[in-house]
Amino acid sequence: MVREEVVGSTRALQWKCVESRADSKRLYYGRFILSPLLKGQADTIGIAMRRALLGEIEGTCIARAKSEKVPHEYSTIAGIEESVHEILMNLKEIVLRSNLYGTRDASICVRGPRCVTAQDIISPPSVEVVDTTQHIASLTEPIDLCIGLQIQRDRGYRMKTTKNSQDGSYPIDAVSMPVRNANHSIHSYGNGNQKQEILFLEIWTDGSLTPKEALHEASRNLIDLFIPFLHAEEKDINFEENQNRFTVPPFTFPDRLANLKKNKKEIALKCIFIDQSELPPRTYNCLKRSNIHTLLDLLSNSQEDLMKIEYFRIEDGKQILDTLRKHFAIDLPKNKF
């Protein structure tokens, strides 16, 4: 067991990691506290953080398996103890760690007799198997087992659809949830108007993220969800008379930029968010993880600053520069003066 203490502050608030341990390669535990909070704040934060931990964090998993020699999902193969369905269920249990975007291909090609484990997966360098001892199948005869795998990064739980099973390709229930469980509890102290609270957060992960990393990721995702409210413009909402509803007009990045070209002073750059810029998902995620949320944030960086972002590529920088040149006829400075 490892006990560590990390302190950060926002005004008078402090948070600490009071316990951290690895029960196994696929089960990490962390316990955190946040204090001092006013009465009611601990419950507000605890409920939001638990939902963000369980539903807003991306994970990597095997989403599809393919083998041309398999007639259907519930068939058996001579020389293999497990049925095809059992093999698919074993593939579902494999935990992967990755920062990939989109989908990647992997494979398993082995010859029996032998026990096939997650260590036999041939995957891209960007993908790491957390527990290589995870069992997949047992080959009892000298036969070849070749399986093509599709790896994807997503969030939440995606149930397979049987109608997509064709040409020996079978979808797997995709579990992209690095956090296995999260609980919060509250300790109150003080009397009357001086009453304060301490929030306790417990986080269990599957090993692809540490509890501390999961806490950071969930916090960033919550902040991203609330940023639009900080720059909300009342004039963007059209209330319809004599009706109990309102509609938000379609909003596209090119239209907003066209107006900005005509009069840049009318529309604040901080109201244009990078998710409206139609950048590739990989580029967008790199910027978001570096706390670049609006066009104003982006223009405050130089080309050199962007290249320092983790996992940022030259191609990503070119994509951003092309977008700025096309809509603004401006370039980011190469270096920050």
Side-chain angles (χ1 to χ4, degrees):
M1 181 185 299
V2 178
R3 292 183 180 270
E4 54 183 336
E5 181 175 321
V6 181
V7 181
S9 64
T10 302
R11 296 181 183 177
L13 293 182
Q14 292 185 329
W15 72 274
K16 298 179 183 179
C17 176
V18 294
E19 184 177 354
S20 177
R21 67 172 187 261
D23 294 331
S24 68
K25 290 183 178 180
R26 291 186 288 169
L27 183 59
Y28 287 12
Y29 171 80
R31 188 165 181 256
F32 307 86
I33 63 172
L34 177 66
S35 68
L37 295 165
L38 299 179
K39 184 178 180 180
Q41 289 182 338
D43 208 28
T44 300
I45 298 173
I47 293 173
M49 284 301 303
R50 184 176 187 276
R51 292 182 67 88
L53 285 164
L54 295 175
E56 297 295 330
I57 299 180
E58 294 182 344
T60 305
C61 65
I62 298 174
R64 185 174 287 271
K66 182 177 182 179
S67 180
E68 297 179 354
K69 298 181 179 180
V70 177
H72 58 82
E73 179 180 346
Y74 296 98
S75 61
T76 58
I77 302 175
I80 302 180
E81 287 187 3
E82 294 81 3
S83 66
V84 174
H85 178 73
E86 289 173 329
I87 294 175
L88 294 177
M89 292 300 98
N90 291 336
L91 291 173
K92 175 183 173 181
E93 295 297 322
I94 294 176
V95 178
L96 303 174
R97 180 188 294 115
S98 174
N99 287 311
L100 66 83
Y101 298 91
T103 60
R104 295 290 188 276
D105 292 329
S107 63
I108 299 174
C109 291
V110 296
R111 182 171 180 79
R114 58 169 298 180
C115 181
V116 184
T117 66
Q119 186 175 6
D120 298 308
I121 297 177
I122 304 172
S123 61
S126 59
V127 179
E128 176 188 353
V129 179
V130 172
D131 184 6
T132 57
T133 64
Q134 169 65 38
H135 178 76
I136 297 177
S138 298
L139 308 185
T140 58
E141 298 180 9
I143 62 172
D144 294 323
L145 175 65
C146 294
I147 305 175
L149 304 174
Q150 185 182 82
I151 297 173
Q152 71 177 26
R153 186 176 179 84
D154 202 347
R155 68 178 58 180
Y157 182 79
R158 297 286 185 273
M159 292 187 65
K160 64 182 180 180
T161 54
T162 54
K163 64 180 181 180
N164 291 334
S165 302
Q166 55 185 0
D167 300 327
S169 178
Y170 299 93
I172 299 174
D173 292 334
V175 183
S176 304
M177 301 171 64
V179 176
R180 288 189 171 187
N181 195 13
N183 289 327
H184 82 276
S185 58
I186 302 169
H187 171 70
S188 300
Y189 62 96
N191 297 313
N193 294 332
Q194 303 299 321
K195 197 169 186 179
Q196 294 182 319
E197 297 177 338
I198 300 176
L199 172 65
F200 292 85
L201 274 173
E202 293 183 290
I203 303 173
W204 291 263
T205 69
D206 63 2
S208 61
L209 287 178
T210 66
K212 189 191 300 182
E213 290 171 336
L215 184 63
H216 290 174
E217 182 70 15
S219 300
R220 282 197 298 264
N221 290 339
L222 275 178
I223 292 171
D224 287 344
L225 290 175
F226 288 109
I227 278 181
F229 293 106
L230 298 178
H231 307 295
E233 295 184 38
E234 186 176 349
K235 63 182 180 181
D236 284 343
I237 301 177
N238 296 331
F239 290 91
E240 298 184 2
E241 296 182 0
N242 301 323
Q243 293 189 24
N244 295 324
R245 63 186 180 88
F246 66 88
T247 59
V248 180
F251 173 71
T252 61
F253 183 73
D255 292 342
R256 193 68 174 255
L257 291 179
N259 293 331
L260 186 59
K261 284 183 181 179
K262 296 177 182 179
N263 192 343
K264 294 184 180 180
K265 295 182 180 179
E266 291 183 2
I267 304 175
L269 293 176
K270 65 181 181 180
C271 294
I272 302 177
F273 297 90
I274 60 171
D275 59 345
Q276 298 163 307
S277 63
E278 301 175 358
L279 290 170
R282 187 185 190 285
T283 307
Y284 164 73
N285 281 305
C286 285
L287 294 176
K288 188 181 72 170
R289 292 176 189 276
S290 298
N291 293 320
I292 298 176
H293 304 286
T294 67
L295 196 58
L296 184 63
D297 297 335
L298 178 59
L299 294 178
S300 64
N301 289 271
S302 66
Q303 296 182 34
E304 184 181 15
D305 294 331
L306 295 181
M307 295 310 300
K308 294 178 181 179
I309 296 176
E310 189 175 14
Y311 305 115
F312 201 84
R313 305 175 305 179
I314 296 178
E315 293 79 1
D316 301 323
K318 290 181 179 179
Q319 182 71 38
I320 291 173
L321 292 176
D322 290 343
T323 300
L324 292 176
R325 289 166 184 164
K326 177 181 178 181
H327 298 291
F328 289 95
I330 61 174
D331 279 321
L332 287 178
K334 291 186 178 180
N335 302 294
K336 182 171 289 187
F337 296 101

